[in-house]
Amino acid sequence: MTCYRKRTEIRIIAIALLLVSIRLTECFITSSSSSLQQPHHSITFGSNSCLYSKRRKNSRGNDDSARGFGKDSRDGPRISVASPISAPSSDPISSNVQDECGGGKNQNRIPGYEFAHSVDRQGKALVSDIRKRLTLFQPEHVSSDTHDQNVSTIINHLRLSDEETSTRLGSKLVSGTEEWNKLVKHKEESIDKMHLRDMLVDHERCDKMCVEYDGVYLDYSRQRASLETMELLNSLAKRQKLQQKIEEMMSGEKINFTEDRAVLHTALRAEKSAIGSITVDGQDCVGDVHATLDQVKRFTDAIRNGDIRGYTGKRLRNFISVGIGGSYLGPEFLHECLKTEPDGINSALGYNLRFLANVDPVDIERSCSDLDPEETLIIVISKTFTTAETMLNARTMRQWLWDFMGNDKEVVRKHIIACSSISATAKVEEFGINTNDYFFKFWDWVGGRYSVCSAVGAVPISLQYGFNLFEKFLEGARSIDKHFLSAPFDQNIPVIMGLLGVWNHSFMNYNSRTTLPYAEALLKLPAHIQQLDMESNGKRVTKHGVEVDYNVGEIDFGEAGTNGQHSFYQLLHQGQIVPCDFIGFVASQHDLCLDGEKVSSHDELMSNFFAQPDALANGKTVDDVRAEGVSEDLIIHRVFHGNRPSLSLLLPKLTAYAAGQLLAIYEHRTAVQGFIWDINSFDQFGVELGKKLANDIKERVTKARANPTEPIVASNPSTARLLKYYVDNSEDACESECSFNLGSITRKTYLDQIPTPPTRHDLGGSKSRIN
């Protein structure tokens, strides 16, 4: 156990013993001096509280002090605990004294620190500091000698042994369980002594380390795990009540405990027959989902049929989806899958979907430089309709439309739609959007990174490809949902992948993981998984409010197909060990075989898919290299140690249905790891601090531009210097005349340069010449 944790435990014990000691002292004083009606001192840690508070009056004017602020006197002083917050960094005694507890200049009090399951872990209060602070708070009715004795008693009880400290903290962590420690021992005594090249010749092991469900084939025999490892991991899953947690998530329990929210992305693809089966706060979740999906279908069909047109009467053919994070990565991943899917090619004829995510103005130029505003529909996606980057881009696109078609409110009402939470309705309407017909809602129980199955993905994808294709995507995800909920753990694909993720990161100490789809149409999948995993499980505190002492949250990255082989596979083979997920397909969306070639292009691709996992697992020994005639001084450079874990996912073909399956597999893998680690995979407070600081920086930049002669003040000299360099060497676009007209973004000659989108083309879709 680190010194850091020991100090934290000391602080926790100090507070607990302080409360107990003072409570006992007060009870003694109360019983010995009741005839004198001495003021009874109560302790409460809360938002409006103080230590040793004076006599109080209740709402009826009676004295509550002897009853612990309203409790019966036989219960003694009340100790109330509020929700946790971090204690201020400044000295609470000297600079942060609050006055909520009443008058009296001699009254001793401290701020209302709020403690629940944890104490602020960034503080530096040691035993000596505790002694000093306790000494300052001597009750008026207790003599100095008695108070000093009480303080000494408390301090003496803080002398805990290392074993006691570890025991107290370990009881709150999964790492302190018998199942966890069996895995630690198993790794040291068994797995560390084995090599994958030997494990892969074990036929029984290889046969048992593969699972197939609904066309998805998982082979995890190249993991550094034995059959015993999997049994131990399953025991850990049972210890952590994984099945119960899965059922709670999918039934609408509020498992997002830090935000008091349900987690129901699975309800977004539930069948209509499930309407009424999931209720949250009186809300029929599945019923609401299908009401929104029906609305999406009606609207997108009307756009594609030409029944709904733009401000000038032209058909809407171009769609710009404005959103960031989960409002962008998931839908773009699906868009790229469908672009080359035969049904997708045919259904997208004449339409153009683009994504605007980055607040960088260059992204705006790239998104709409060759588009006709009169034929363009803007989709603004923001759960709260306050996301800074998204709303700035939305205002920019609104101005772009106005610059071409005039500053008429009907331009916005016919060319901008919104996907947002129902709680943001007022903000959507204030923006000028028609909330009756052009507003598509989703709910607080849908996290951004889990929202692609909601209106966030449904609207842009259905506009580009038609609702029927999006529905197939939902069906694929639903198939995996059923499998995840009902399959036994040893046959459950997302559970197996999640448990192996825990094994590799927390026990084998591999800090990274890579996703390697051997399909160019999945080029955006690694980016989506990167957010899905790292935003979900990039945490440090368990649900018990205790910092973890084991690894959680891998670094995820990846690249499509053979491109990655010529990018970072060198590191995978001879550098750090990075567990790999290989994703391949039996059939290509479009295969090619040239005259004179022995293999098709897809066979060439898949040959690499099968070869790379074996190369990582087996490596290349010194004897292998020497047998090739390599000179002795170069042998060491050409040796591959191998023993590098991977798993392989093989699916029939990349379709909308298969894309839905892949999405659900990785969503559930993420949840499984969070459940085992005892963390909340469904909040994201880590993204807030940078946003808050950015707002402060914006104000400083604005002030610096308005008063260029005044020095720039920042939180530290380094930031001040950077800001000064930036302001001194940049131009204020807001003062530039050209910035007020965004018409320059779109080329005025686009009608001459870009032909009208065709209604037909000669690619032929599934009947093209390349199939």
Side-chain angles (χ1 to χ4, degrees):
M1 187 66 65
T2 62
C3 293
Y4 178 78
R5 295 196 172 281
K6 292 174 185 175
R7 291 198 304 270
T8 300
E9 178 65 12
I10 287 173
R11 298 176 66 201
I12 296 172
I13 301 302
I15 293 166
L17 289 175
L18 169 62
L19 299 179
V20 172
S21 176
I22 296 175
R23 177 167 180 154
L24 292 173
T25 301
E26 291 175 346
C27 290
F28 171 78
I29 293 171
T30 301
S31 62
S32 63
S33 58
S34 59
S35 61
L36 299 177
Q37 293 293 307
Q38 292 285 349
H40 188 81
H41 296 83
S42 177
I43 305 167
T44 176
F45 287 112
S47 58
N48 294 311
S49 57
C50 62
L51 183 64
Y52 302 132
S53 64
K54 289 291 186 179
R55 179 185 298 258
R56 285 192 169 186
K57 301 290 184 179
N58 63 19
S59 60
R60 296 181 299 275
N62 299 323
D63 190 347
D64 276 337
S65 60
R67 297 181 301 162
F69 292 3
K71 291 196 69 176
D72 193 282
S73 59
R74 63 177 176 270
D75 295 330
R78 184 188 66 155
I79 300 176
S80 65
V81 182
S83 58
I85 62 170
S86 295
S89 57
S90 59
D91 188 334
I93 297 174
S94 60
S95 63
N96 246 345
V97 176
Q98 298 177 356
D99 293 322
E100 286 91 341
C101 296
K105 65 180 181 179
N106 295 322
Q107 179 178 325
N108 294 315
R109 56 194 185 274
I110 62 174
Y113 286 178
E114 295 179 342
F115 293 90
H117 304 105
S118 66
V119 178
D120 172 35
R121 299 178 182 280
Q122 303 303 319
K124 299 179 180 179
L126 300 175
V127 169
S128 59
D129 185 50
I130 295 171
R131 177 186 288 277
K132 180 182 70 174
R133 293 174 185 271
L134 292 179
T135 302
L136 288 174
F137 295 110
Q138 177 183 336
E140 296 173 357
H141 56 276
V142 177
S143 67
S144 296
D145 290 342
T146 301
H147 185 70
D148 289 342
Q149 290 177 4
N150 289 340
V151 170
S152 296
T153 299
I154 292 172
I155 297 302
N156 289 335
H157 278 84
L158 296 178
R159 314 297 182 181
L160 296 176
S161 68
D162 288 349
E163 183 178 356
E164 288 174 310
T165 301
S166 300
T167 300
R168 288 175 184 253
L169 271 180
S171 64
K172 291 290 188 179
L173 295 169
V174 63
S175 57
T177 64
E178 179 183 359
E179 290 80 3
W180 185 280
N181 288 308
K182 282 184 177 179
L183 280 160
V184 172
K185 184 178 180 182
H186 167 70
K187 183 249 182 192
E188 295 171 350
E189 296 181 354
S190 179
I191 299 301
D192 284 349
K193 299 175 182 178
M194 303 172 72
H195 196 288
L196 273 171
R197 70 170 66 97
D198 300 316
M199 300 169 81
L200 282 171
V201 297
D202 183 339
H203 288 279
E204 180 185 3
R205 174 184 173 277
C206 290
D207 287 343
K208 290 186 176 181
M209 285 191 161
C210 57
V211 179
E212 183 178 5
Y213 170 76
D214 194 16
V216 181
Y217 188 90
L218 169 67
D219 184 327
Y220 57 100
S221 60
R222 291 169 184 79
Q223 289 286 320
R224 289 191 63 192
S226 64
L227 297 178
E228 182 184 1
T229 309
M230 300 311 298
E231 290 176 1
L232 292 172
L233 286 170
N234 282 330
S235 295
L236 179 64
K238 292 176 182 176
R239 166 64 178 74
Q240 290 298 92
K241 300 180 180 178
L242 178 59
Q243 184 63 43
Q244 177 182 328
K245 292 176 180 178
I246 292 171
E247 292 171 359
E248 287 174 350
M249 179 182 76
M250 298 181 72
S251 63
E253 293 291 326
K254 294 185 177 180
I255 63 170
N256 180 353
F257 50 86
T258 57
E259 297 177 310
D260 192 33
R261 291 176 178 172
V263 178
L264 278 173
H265 46 280
T266 53
L268 298 173
R269 52 247 191 176
E271 295 175 298
K272 276 193 173 182
S273 59
I275 289 177
S277 63
I278 303 174
T279 302
V280 175
D281 296 332
Q283 172 188 350
D284 179 2
C285 299
V286 180
D288 285 354
V289 165
H290 279 279
T292 297
L293 289 175
D294 290 344
Q295 180 194 8
V296 170
K297 185 180 188 316
R298 289 192 302 270
F299 178 81
T300 55
D301 284 351
I303 291 285
R304 291 171 61 84
N305 293 335
D307 296 332
I308 296 178
R309 295 177 178 251
Y311 178 73
T312 61
K314 289 186 177 182
R315 291 190 62 168
L316 297 169
R317 302 177 182 274
N318 309 312
F319 314 114
I320 301 179
S321 182
V322 181
I324 198 167
S327 300
Y328 151 65
L329 292 168
E332 189 181 41
F333 138 70
L334 180 55
H335 171 52
E336 291 294 338
C337 289
L338 300 180
K339 272 169 70 172
T340 46
E341 202 261 359
D343 290 338
I345 290 175
N346 291 325
S347 60
L349 287 177
Y351 299 102
N352 187 3
L353 173 61
R354 298 182 183 179
F355 294 88
L356 173 57
N358 202 323
V359 75
D360 186 340
V362 173
D363 202 11
I364 296 172
E365 172 70 22
R366 290 183 173 189
S367 297
C368 60
S369 61
D370 57 348
L371 300 182
D372 181 356
E374 298 178 40
E375 297 181 343
T376 302
L377 182 70
I378 311 298
I379 310 154
V380 182
I381 304 175
S382 173
K383 189 170 185 178
T384 62
F385 224 67
T386 59
T387 308
E389 301 93 333
T390 297
M391 296 317 299
L392 177 56
N393 281 338
R395 291 191 296 271
T396 302
M397 297 314 301
R398 181 176 62 182
Q399 187 63 50
W400 178 66
L401 295 171
W402 280 340
D403 284 348
F404 276 88
M405 290 180 281
N407 192 7
D408 187 338
K409 66 179 183 180
E410 286 301 312
V411 171
V412 176
R413 291 175 65 84
K414 289 184 177 293
H415 285 266
I416 302 181
I417 66 177
C419 299
S420 188
S421 169
I422 190 68
S423 61
T425 303
K427 293 184 177 66
V428 173
E429 189 170 15
E430 182 181 351
F431 193 84
I433 294 172
N434 177 356
T435 54
N436 292 324
D437 304 312
Y438 285 49
F439 177 38
F440 304 88
K441 68 178 180 179
F442 55 104
W443 306 270
D444 288 341
W445 39 261
V446 180
R449 56 193 175 276
Y450 296 93
S451 66
V452 64
C453 293
S454 71
V456 169
V459 172
I461 297 301
S462 299
L463 284 168
Q464 178 71 6
Y465 298 104
F467 184 80
N468 290 340
L469 206 55
F470 182 77
E471 206 164 30
K472 291 180 181 178
F473 167 73
L474 296 181
E475 290 171 2
R478 184 187 307 141
S479 167
I480 297 298
D481 291 343
K482 293 178 179 178
H483 170 67
F484 181 50
L485 180 63
S486 61
F489 288 168
D490 61 351
Q491 295 294 310
N492 194 311
I493 292 173
V495 169
I496 291 170
M497 292 174 65
L499 292 177
L500 288 170
V502 172
W503 169 249
N504 284 326
H505 192 39
S506 299
F507 296 93
M508 302 301 292
N509 294 315
Y510 302 143
N511 293 323
S512 301
R513 176 172 55 192
T514 184
T515 306
L516 307 169
Y518 275 65
E520 184 64 17
L522 286 177
L523 78 164
K524 293 296 183 179
L525 176 63
H528 176 58
I529 292 176
Q530 179 177 296
Q531 189 211 9
L532 178 66
D533 256 16
M534 295 172 70
E535 192 168 86
S536 294
N537 290 337
K539 309 295 169 59
R540 65 179 181 85
V541 179
T542 71
K543 67 181 183 182
H544 304 294
V546 179
E547 283 199 12
V548 297
D549 62 356
Y550 43 88
N551 292 339
V552 300
E554 308 91 330
I555 298 171
D556 280 275
F557 66 100
E559 182 63 64
T562 53
N563 291 348
Q565 294 178 196
H566 296 271
S567 175
F568 52 80
Y569 275 39
Q570 167 61 40
L571 180 144
L572 299 184
H573 284 287
Q574 289 187 307
Q576 299 179 33
I577 298 180
V578 182
C580 303
D581 286 8
F582 290 90
I583 303 172
F585 298 89
V586 173
S588 173
Q589 287 182 333
H590 301 278
D591 203 358
L592 286 171
C593 188
L594 300 180
D595 292 341
E597 295 289 343
K598 295 182 179 180
V599 297
S600 69
S601 296
H602 187 63
D603 284 346
E604 179 79 23
L605 175 72
M606 292 304 291
S607 295
N608 285 274
F609 170 85
F610 295 116
Q612 291 295 334
D614 278 345
L616 290 166
N618 294 317
K620 198 172 188 180
T621 66
V622 171
D623 291 339
D624 293 335
V625 178
R626 184 175 286 118
E628 294 176 350
V630 176
S631 61
E632 288 297 320
D633 60 327
L634 292 179
I635 286 178
I636 192 171
H637 298 284
R638 300 197 177 188
V639 168
F640 297 78
H641 293 301
N643 214 24
R644 293 163 183 257
S646 68
L647 60 81
S648 301
L649 277 170
L650 196 57
L651 291 83
K653 187 176 183 178
L654 181 53
T655 60
Y657 187 90
Q661 289 179 304
L662 282 173
L663 175 88
I665 286 171
Y666 280 97
E667 285 180 345
H668 296 326
R669 181 192 72 172
T670 297
V672 167
Q673 292 187 218
F675 290 150
I676 298 297
W677 284 328
D678 260 345
I679 59 177
N680 186 359
S681 300
F682 308 105
D683 63 13
Q684 56 281 331
F685 295 116
V687 304
E688 299 300 325
L689 179 58
K691 291 181 179 180
K692 183 178 180 180
L693 293 178
N695 289 330
D696 178 65
I697 294 294
K698 281 191 292 186
E699 293 179 4
R700 295 179 189 276
V701 170
T702 302
K703 184 177 179 180
R705 292 201 188 280
N707 304 282
T709 59
E710 294 185 8
I712 297 178
V713 179
S715 59
N716 59 75
S718 177
T719 302
R721 284 194 302 270
L722 285 169
L723 286 175
K724 185 178 187 307
Y725 184 88
Y726 171 72
V727 171
D728 290 347
N729 293 279
S730 63
E731 182 178 335
D732 186 359
C734 290
E735 296 298 325
S736 173
E737 293 182 4
C738 66
S739 67
F740 291 102
N741 192 318
L742 297 174
S744 60
I745 292 177
T746 298
R747 301 184 183 99
K748 295 301 181 64
T749 57
Y750 69 88
L751 289 176
D752 298 325
Q753 296 182 16
I754 308 296
T756 302
T759 56
R760 296 177 58 84
H761 63 44
D762 59 359
L763 295 181
S766 60
K767 299 180 180 179
S768 69
R769 289 170 292 176
I770 62 176
N771 282 290

